[in-house]
Amino acid sequence: MPGAIHGIGVDILRVERMEKLLDKHGDKLLTRLLCAREQREVRSRKNVARALAMCWAAKEAFVKALGTGFDGIGWKEVGVVREANGRPVLLFDRKMRARMKRENIGATHVSLSDDGGFVSAYVILERGTV
C-alpha cells in the first residue's frame, strides 16, 4: 500500500560525545563512519563535531525505522546530507537501495534538530514506490 508507514526511528545524541571521539580518533573517524559526500559536507562545517553528531543520529534513526538496528548494515550504507536549500536527505549506497527495493520502501524522510549540546534525528520510511 503506497504511503503506508514501514517504520519510524528517532535518536538523540550529545555533541560532546562526538567531540571526545574526534579528539581520540581524528579524521580516521570521519573516514570510517561517513560516505564520501557526507565527509565533504561535515568537513566544510564550522562545528565538525555537531555535523558528525547529526550524521550519526540520522543513521541510528534510520536503522531503527528499518527495524534492524545495525545488524548487517555498515555505517557507509546510509548517509545524510543537505540539499542546497538546507533540507536534509538520506543517501543510500547500491546495496542499501537494493535492500529497500526488496522491502518495498519507497519514500524516506529525515528531520534533524539541535539544542543545548544535543542533536536529534527523526526518520520515517514509507512503503511503496516513489
Side-chain angles (χ1 to χ4, degrees), residues 33-50:
L33 298 177
L34 307 177
C35 68
R37 190 167 164 198
E38 280 180 302
Q39 288 178 46
R40 286 190 301 274
E41 189 168 303
V42 165
R43 287 183 177 113
S44 75
R45 299 289 183 193
K46 184 171 72 171
N47 187 333
V48 172
R50 177 185 165 275

Side-chain angles (χ1 to χ4, degrees), residues 68-87:
T68 62
F70 275 102
D71 186 33
I73 298 174
W75 283 100
K76 294 182 181 184
E77 290 181 42
V78 60
V80 63
V81 296
R82 297 197 182 261
E83 294 180 329
N85 65 2
R87 178 179 178 241

